Amino acid sequence: MPEKRGYEGFEGRAEEFTSDSEPWWPQPGRARPQAPNIIVMLIDDLGFSDLGPFGSEIDTPHIDAVAADGWVFTNYRTAPMCSPARAALLTGLNPHRAGFGFVAHIDPGYPGFSCELPDAAPTLAESLRAGGYATFMVGKWHLTLESRLHDGADRSTWPLQRGFDRYFGSMDGFTSLHHPHRLVQDNSVVDVREFPEGFFLTDELTDRAIGMIDDLRVNEPDKPFFLYYAHTSVHGPIQAKDPDIEKYRGRYEAGWNALRAERFARQRERGIVPAHTALPEDPIADGDRIPAWETLSEEDRLLFARHMEVYAAAVDEIDQSVGRLLERLERSGERDNTIVVLASDNGGTAEGGPTGTRSYFAQFGTHGGMPEGWVTDVPRDVDDIGGPRVFGQYPTGWARVSNTPFRSFKATTYEGGVHAPLIISWPGSEMARGLRDQFVFVADLAPTLLELAGVPALEERAGAPALEMDGGSILGVLTDPAADGRESQYFECVGRRAIVDGRWKALSPLVPTKEEGAEGGTWELYDLAADPTETVDLAASMPERVAQLAARWHEDAWRNTVFPLDDDGSMFRLRPDTEEPLSAPVSLTPFRPPLERFRSSKLTVLRSFAVEIALEVTADAAGVIVAHGDQGGGYLLAIDAQAPLIVYNAYGVMHRERGRRLEPGAHRLVARFDELPDLRWRIVLEVDDIEEAGIRSVPMLLGMAPFTGISVGYDYGGPVDWDLHEDHRSYPFRGGALTSVRYIPGPRSSHDATVLREVGRAVQRIAD
């Protein structure tokens, strides 16, 4: 691998290259050219076949153009989930060494699952900034512990503290595109009560990215920039704009099998997959999870096709963002000297289940088995799917189309979970471009970009020597179509294991038991050269090779802090006792930005709780007292028509009850949410110590719901009650004063399996 190089200043000053290695520019000894701009665009949950260059029918003309003048990688692999992929991309480390063996929603206390980037791991942004680059980020971060997302948290793992000069986006794992649950600019939450008509996050992120470039160019015309654009799309809830959805009306009426076959045919024609590749058939292609299109009712076909129309529109909108960025660079004459990287963080997801869902957050309510009759898909008008009223996710059948030609989905170690699209473009370079079939891993991107920029990785961070990168530069692959790519890579996700070594892949789709051990359990074996889509398991006929690869996986796992495997589910139950203060009673200030999502959840999720309110009202008092949630689920208390109104949105099913008219003066309101059996609440509204209204029984909001945090004095962003929103928008409280709004968390649910982690020991929480 060529020696890492760097130099100071980007003002056009020529400096001579001195190295024993061959430089990447045309002639040894020639003056170093101006450093390139770098744009890395990471798309969320995009399947291997969802872009035009990889066989899709979705219109992606701008991405097609980038691919036509760049490198299209057909053998790129990533981590099976989003946070691990992002950590590897930014550090050049394998996911577990970067602290992310899982997404940033757990905190069991193990190094490989810390869900924080190591102090000694410089990010790509930090190294580039030290090398003279301006560093910008827009979009999804998802590399900070949930417990450190709130406004009083330690920000040492936020984007600005990890190398970015400017940041705008969502720190959390996903959000609504029409009404984001929380936006952060630099180190502060964006204080906005409601979004304007037509607001759409993909457009806003692109506007912000272009604005950052414009602001730089006004002040530093020649300074190179690094832009990390991490789309929140096409992660669920899948949403898009009406005109873009309409463009795809009727395009998916033929069903998922027909579309999958068409994409596969284009892939073979274009050389994206080898000619001998087989398209996996049922039952190994998840046929038990996907209903046959021809057996569906006309109503279901219409519903399922609409889900895919929205998904296609969302991908189209990503392509539009690429076009807008490139048009900005064309106008300034910078396109030729800008490296563009387009990739997905993992394979397409089957989170929507066999029939998809219009109640996205109900799908996250799995706590050791859900009660019979638990809500999974609340019926909504089909035409509302994709809009601000529906938080939807497409069915598994379309996820299989997204991952054509591979098996399985996100969160698995089959190719459908880890094989993703990658495109790199640099029009001004003199390297031969085209298809590349070498094995490249996500951790290879950071060292590659540093080498192309001529910037060395930082040698230390936070007073400690920098961790050595696991990834290696693929400069040789860019310059030579016949160069060797990566030879091997381990994978792990929720105990599912895999290793690629040359043409061979050993894979264990099941978590081993403690008795079986880390190398034991069920292993499958595939010859990827002969069978790139994992259709023929050779394990039974080649047990010695399986054993060798399992042992190799074990060695790599030890080196990369993969252990312990989550063989009993405890990884998700173990939490630090430092989160306990987040569950203490709290008084909230009216008209401030909403309490952050996770902070709010500690007051309400899997427990009884009460909201105690002291207020004064005049004869014309009206508006929201407190709101928590959005169209995906939530609750709201307001004064409406001179009476207290309690609203409960049960993942889309609306419940509303009113009390008696309030006389002018001071009053005390209490909303009690008392747990019932089978993960349900009884809601009671008391006015001046008298029970005035109630909702007898509703399913608890749990998992990731309510997703939008608690706002006091208005209903922030995505509304809990759409009817109130249409009449009053955020419905700010007026005609009196909110003297006190206090949350009192009560007993935890018996369904809460949390285990508290203290220093040196774990203590089982006993439910009150």
Side-chain angles (χ1 to χ4, degrees):
M1 183 172 63
E3 178 184 308
K4 295 178 180 178
R5 303 171 295 274
Y7 67 106
E8 297 180 358
F10 295 97
E11 295 81 17
R13 186 172 71 240
E15 297 189 39
E16 294 301 311
F17 175 82
T18 57
S19 172
D20 295 332
S21 304
E22 286 295 311
W24 54 261
W25 53 90
Q27 298 176 17
R30 177 176 168 181
R32 185 185 303 266
Q34 183 179 355
N37 302 316
I38 300 171
I39 297 176
V40 174
M41 182 173 283
L42 192 65
I43 308 168
D44 205 334
D45 287 1
L46 183 85
F48 179 74
S49 75
D50 282 331
L51 301 177
F54 293 87
S56 180
E57 75 292 336
I58 300 171
D59 294 334
T60 56
H62 304 293
I63 293 174
D64 296 354
V66 171
D69 193 25
W71 297 268
V72 174
F73 289 82
T74 63
N75 200 15
Y76 172 71
R77 293 185 181 88
T78 178
M81 301 187 86
C82 45
S83 292
R86 291 157 201 276
L89 186 155
L90 286 177
T91 63
L93 300 174
N94 284 329
H96 297 80
R97 284 191 70 223
F100 285 87
F102 195 70
V103 291
H105 299 292
I106 62 171
D107 190 5
Y110 307 120
F113 301 87
S114 66
C115 291
E116 291 189 327
L117 298 177
D119 285 343
T123 67
L124 177 60
E126 287 170 324
S127 292
L128 287 173
R129 184 163 66 182
Y133 274 70
T135 55
F136 308 137
M137 180 183 172
V138 297
K140 168 179 168 176
W141 178 240
H142 211 200
L143 292 175
T144 294
L145 284 168
E146 290 181 308
S147 59
R148 295 188 179 180
L149 292 177
H150 62 80
D151 291 330
D154 173 359
R155 287 167 164 75
S156 60
T157 62
W158 288 33
L160 263 62
Q161 284 64 246
R162 294 309 312 235
F164 290 97
D165 297 330
R166 299 181 66 181
Y167 170 71
F168 178 86
S170 173
M171 293 280 295
D172 220 321
F174 48 88
T175 194
S176 166
L177 299 181
H178 297 284
H179 295 126
H181 76 291
R182 179 178 169 91
L183 292 173
V184 168
Q185 181 172 337
D186 298 331
N187 275 330
S188 301
V189 63
V190 176
D191 187 0
V192 56
R193 293 186 186 176
E194 58 187 49
F195 294 94
E197 287 292 338
F199 178 92
F200 195 70
L201 184 56
T202 301
D203 294 338
E204 182 70 15
L205 295 177
T206 308
D207 289 344
R208 296 282 182 150
I210 292 173
M212 291 176 185
I213 296 170
D214 287 344
D215 291 347
L216 175 68
R217 286 294 168 253
V218 167
N219 297 285
E220 291 277 2
D222 300 318
K223 188 173 188 177
F225 66 82
F226 166 49
L227 169 63
Y228 174 38
Y229 189 151
H231 276 279
T232 55
S233 197
V234 283
H235 196 294
I238 300 172
Q239 297 174 324
K241 295 180 291 186
D242 286 341
D244 296 316
I245 299 172
E246 188 61 31
K247 175 180 176 180
Y248 291 91
R249 179 80 69 174
R251 189 170 292 193
Y252 296 98
E253 292 177 350
W256 32 64
N257 282 352
L259 268 293
R260 182 170 176 247
E262 291 172 8
R263 288 192 181 187
F264 182 56
R266 284 190 289 268
Q267 289 175 332
R268 295 181 69 179
E269 178 185 349
R270 298 173 186 177
I272 299 300
V273 298
H276 63 269
T277 302
L279 189 64
E281 301 291 343
D282 295 339
I284 65 168
D286 306 287
D288 58 332
R289 306 169 66 178
I290 300 170
W293 191 263
E294 59 272 14
T295 67
L296 297 174
S297 67
E298 189 63 30
E299 181 181 11
D300 280 345
R301 290 186 189 185
L302 178 67
L303 170 63
F304 297 169
R306 173 67 177 195
H307 276 296
M308 188 59 189
E309 291 165 4
V310 173
Y311 183 86
V315 174
D316 191 314
E317 289 160 353
I318 290 169
D319 182 74
Q320 294 171 36
S321 73
V322 173
R324 291 185 58 204
L325 277 172
L326 296 186
E327 192 274 335
R328 164 63 183 81
L329 297 175
E330 291 285 0
R331 281 190 287 110
S332 63
E334 297 182 72
R335 174 66 186 102
D336 280 356
N337 200 34
T338 299
I339 300 169
V340 175
V341 178
L342 295 165
S344 178
D345 59 354
N346 46 247
T349 179
E351 291 170 359
T355 60
T357 181
R358 288 161 285 186
S359 305
Y360 184 74
F361 292 113
Q363 305 297 96
F364 289 85
T366 52
H367 292 269
M370 303 307 293
E372 184 177 352
W374 183 259
V375 59
T376 57
D377 180 33
V378 173
R380 314 275 188 96
D381 190 316
V382 169
D383 288 338
D384 283 341
I385 297 175
R389 298 194 62 175
V390 173
F391 287 12
Q393 180 69 41
Y394 66 2
T396 301
W398 295 123
R400 185 168 70 174
V401 173
S402 288
N403 291 335
T404 303
F406 301 117
R407 290 178 60 178
S408 202
F409 312 100
K410 170 185 175 180
T412 77
T413 53
Y414 284 107
E415 292 297 282
V418 301
H419 210 125
L422 170 66
I423 301 169
I424 300 177
S425 167
W426 188 4
S429 73
E430 299 181 19
M431 294 179 278
R433 295 181 277 276
L435 287 179
R436 294 291 189 272
D437 62 2
Q438 292 92 336
F439 179 13
V440 175
F441 185 60
V442 60
D444 299 329
L445 296 179
T448 301
L449 292 171
L450 288 173
E451 182 159 24
L452 292 176
V455 172
L458 287 173
E459 296 182 356
E460 65 175 42
R461 188 184 184 281
L467 296 175
E468 183 179 355
M469 290 188 187
D470 300 301
S473 172
I474 61 167
L475 175 58
V477 174
L478 296 177
T479 57
D480 181 3
D484 292 332
R486 172 182 286 265
E487 182 67 19
S488 67
Q489 178 63 38
Y490 84 91
F491 300 89
E492 188 275 340
C493 186
V494 201
R496 305 177 185 118
R497 300 155 289 165
I499 185 167
V500 173
D501 188 19
R503 67 188 294 160
W504 299 101
K505 180 177 180 181
L507 177 147
S508 181
L510 302 174
V511 183
T513 65
K514 292 182 179 179
E515 293 72 25
E516 291 170 331
E519 295 179 34
T522 302
W523 284 87
E524 300 170 4
L525 178 68
Y526 299 100
D527 180 353
L528 295 180
D531 177 26
T533 52
E534 302 168 317
T535 64
V536 180
D537 179 8
L538 302 173
S541 62
M542 305 181 73
E544 292 184 1
R545 186 175 295 278
V546 172
Q548 291 171 353
L549 289 172
R552 171 70 183 276
W553 181 91
H554 195 185
E555 293 172 3
D556 285 355
W558 273 117
R559 281 196 298 268
N560 287 281
T561 66
V562 172
F563 298 117
L565 296 180
D566 187 36
D567 50 18
D568 60 1
S570 62
M571 196 81 77
F572 301 93
R573 299 193 299 267
L574 194 61
R575 308 288 303 197
D577 63 355
T578 52
E579 292 181 359
E580 278 298 277
L582 302 180
S583 297
V586 61
S587 295
L588 301 178
T589 304
F591 305 113
R592 294 298 303 153
L595 197 66
E596 184 271 327
R597 189 263 313 165
F598 182 76
R599 176 75 175 89
S600 297
S601 75
K602 301 301 289 182
L603 304 172
T604 66
V605 171
L606 285 175
R607 70 192 320 152
S608 299
F609 68 96
V611 188
E612 299 179 351
I613 298 137
L615 76 167
E616 295 184 6
V617 298
T618 61
D620 61 349
V624 169
I625 298 171
V626 65
H628 185 190
D630 43 49
Q631 286 291 284
Y635 58 89
L636 175 150
L637 180 62
I639 304 299
D640 186 63
Q642 300 180 315
L645 169 69
I646 186 80
V647 176
Y648 190 82
N649 183 331
Y651 304 106
V653 176
M654 299 302 300
H655 303 262
R656 300 180 181 90
E657 293 292 336
R658 291 183 183 274
R660 290 179 295 178
R661 181 179 182 276
L662 287 182
E663 296 296 329
H667 297 277
R668 181 176 183 272
L669 278 60
V670 180
R672 302 190 187 280
F673 293 70
D674 297 322
E675 184 182 7
L676 301 173
D678 296 328
L679 289 172
R680 301 184 75 82
W681 275 320
R682 175 176 180 258
I683 305 174
V684 173
L685 176 62
E686 297 176 0
V687 180
D688 298 328
D689 299 321
I690 299 173
E691 184 174 325
E692 287 284 338
I695 302 173
R696 186 173 62 182
S697 178
V698 289
M700 280 185 170
L701 297 170
L702 42 78
M704 302 294 285
F707 197 63
T708 299
I710 301 167
S711 53
V712 177
Y714 66 106
D715 186 3
Y716 164 82
V720 173
D721 188 326
W722 193 263
D723 291 346
L724 285 179
H725 172 77
E726 285 194 327
D727 290 339
H728 305 288
R729 301 291 293 174
S730 61
Y731 209 2
F733 183 82
R734 59 176 175 78
L738 298 177
T739 307
S740 173
V741 175
R742 187 166 177 81
Y743 271 72
I744 310 294
R748 289 182 177 271
S749 170
S750 61
H751 294 273
D752 185 356
T754 301
V755 177
L756 284 182
R757 186 183 81 244
E758 296 184 4
V759 177
R761 63 193 181 98
V763 178
Q764 178 71 45
R765 180 192 301 284
I766 305 299
D768 295 336

